[in-house]
Amino acid sequence: MRYIELNNLHLPNAWKKKASRIHTRRLKAKPSLQERKDYITTNGTHVWKPTKIYLMGFSHNKCWFTEANNAISSFHIEHFRPKKKVKKLKGIWKYNEQTRNWNVGYWWLTYNWRNYRLCCDILNSHKGNYFPLSNGSSIATNPTINHAAEDYVLLDPTVQDDVKLLGFDVATGEAIPKYDEQNFPNEYSRARISIIVYHLNEEVLLLESRKQKLKELDKLKSRIDKNIALF
């Protein structure tokens, strides 16, 4: 996962004005949840797709989550906070989620570029509508509730401290929690759940690529250590 500083990302003002002044305004004016969902369906991918080329250039054509290179057709704009509904985690990876209206997503952030994340096919298809919150977290169900105050679980590539919670196994190339469960239960849990939800270890070619890169870094570190020892 690579850290993305959104404040340094610049999109065309014309697109931002259209997204906020036209689509978001019209969306908020819809009287019912179903009408908002219908509006998003009609005014969907073609609206935010033009931002993809800017997000790609900003990350040197790499997925923000896996750091893998992809062809243009394989990149997607992922809404970090799901736009239409939120899905519960399943099985043993179910977090301690509080009761919420799972049918209500973060519809008002549909055309907010700060909610966009660039991702590859695998991550886009598996992350989907998952967005677990910790016990006791506030829940934003409309624009009047501050969504930034939520205590969310999944690691966000646009948050520097979140990126630091991931490590890698040199032998296997697998992504692993950087901190142990006993001493850092929250950090461990967030990293572990994110690895599962994002499917960071499900692609063989990705694992092999990581292994190769880790070996290169290890050799480079050894050379640096030897050169330092000469002084």
Side-chain angles (χ1 to χ4, degrees), residues 73-89:
S73 60
S74 297
F75 277 120
H76 300 268
I77 298 296
E78 166 68 30
H79 287 72
F80 185 60
R81 283 179 165 81
K83 54 191 179 294
K84 289 185 179 181
K85 61 181 179 179
V86 181
K87 189 176 180 180
K88 279 188 177 182
L89 292 177

Side-chain angles (χ1 to χ4, degrees), residues 1 63-67 80 117-119 123 155 157 198 200:
M1 184 177 291
C63 170
W64 293 7
F65 297 86
T66 66
E67 298 191 59
F80 185 60
R117 308 289 183 266
L118 184 72
C119 69
L123 192 140
L155 301 185
Y198 294 154
L200 295 184

Side-chain angles (χ1 to χ4, degrees), residues 14-32:
W15 182 90
K16 289 194 287 188
K17 288 180 180 178
K18 184 176 181 180
S20 63
R21 296 182 182 179
I22 298 178
H23 290 298
T24 300
R25 182 181 297 174
R26 290 177 179 174
L27 188 57
K28 289 181 177 180
K30 298 299 179 182
S32 70

